[in-house]
């Protein structure tokens, strides 16, 4: 008998998936009363290890690359992230303090805590870090916006430690 034909060739493996984009911040709960404005930081530049920009004369400092991380997200995610490290979202007129603070986000819009009207809906100004006056009003649900945090230059002094207990007899 004639030999049987060889089996058909195996199909080629599927193509590799495209690389994943950088991770977004974890989801935040929907807006609630705990998103108060103005947002206040609980720390300051010295305690966070942040420096003020050479050409910035304000009384705040700002950072983008925080603890080696570059982050993006919605307004609520940005608010939560800055709060979690003891900082706060910058005000519109403070955003320039984040210029050159890492992540290559100079031309990318990032959130502020300054409010605006977006076609009759509550929005927040988003700024780019390379110009003092480049701002756009955005809805807080817009994701993939740069997260840049600010802190105040002056710290309240640390409270004194509690007194030592009296010696045991």
């Amino acid at each position: 008998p004639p030999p049987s034909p060889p089996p058909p060739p195996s199909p080629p493996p599927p193509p590799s998936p495209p690389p994943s984009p950088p991770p977004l911040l974890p989801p935040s709960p929907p807006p609630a009363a705990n998103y108060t404005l103005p947002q206040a930081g609980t720390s300051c530049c010295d305690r966070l290890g942040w420096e003020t920009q050479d050409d910035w004369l304000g009384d705040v400092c700002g950072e983008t690359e925080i603890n080696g991380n570059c982050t993006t997200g919605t307004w609520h995610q940005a608010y939560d992230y800055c709060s979690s490290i003891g900082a706060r979202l910058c005000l519109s007129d403070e955003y320039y303090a984040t210029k050159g603070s890492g992540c290559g986000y100079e031309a990318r819009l990032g959130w502020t805590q300054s409010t605006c009207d977006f076609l009759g809906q509550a929005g927040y100004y988003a700024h780019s870090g390379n110009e003092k006056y480049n701002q756009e009003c955005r809805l807080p649900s817009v994701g993939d916006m740069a997260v840049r945090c600010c802190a105040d230059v002056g710290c309240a002094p640390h409270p004194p430690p509690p007194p030592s207990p009296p010696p045991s007899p």
Side-chain angles (χ1 to χ4, degrees):
S4 55
S10 301
S16 299
S20 300
L24 298 177
L25 292 173
S28 293
N34 62 335
Y35 291 101
T36 57
L37 294 176
Q39 179 187 20
T42 58
S43 196
C44 63
C45 303
D46 289 342
R47 291 188 189 145
L48 291 168
W50 298 355
E51 297 179 8
T52 57
Q53 300 296 324
D54 292 338
D55 57 347
W56 172 249
L57 301 176
D59 55 356
V60 299
C61 58
E63 279 293 329
T64 306
E65 187 173 345
I66 300 166
N67 300 323
N69 297 312
C70 298
T71 55
T72 61
T74 66
W75 185 87
H76 296 98
Q77 291 167 331
Y79 184 107
D80 290 343
Y81 183 74
C82 292
S83 290
S84 76
I85 60 169
R88 60 181 172 76
L89 287 172
C90 305
L91 296 169
S92 284
D93 61 356
E94 298 170 335
Y95 200 79
Y96 192 70
T98 66
K99 178 184 176 209
S101 61
C103 300
Y105 286 173
E106 293 309 304
R108 186 178 209 155
L109 289 174
W111 292 113
T112 72
Q113 62 174 297
S114 299
T115 59
C116 56
D117 182 288
F118 187 89
L119 302 173
Q121 296 183 57
Y124 297 91
Y125 281 114
H127 279 258
S128 66
N130 57 354
E131 293 183 35
K132 288 185 180 183
Y133 306 107
N134 182 20
Q135 67 183 14
E136 297 179 19
C137 186
R138 296 291 175 101
L139 293 175
S141 59
V142 173
D144 200 34
M145 301 282 276
V147 176
R148 301 178 115 181
C149 304
C150 278
D152 296 314
V153 169
C155 285
H158 283 292
S164 299
S168 304

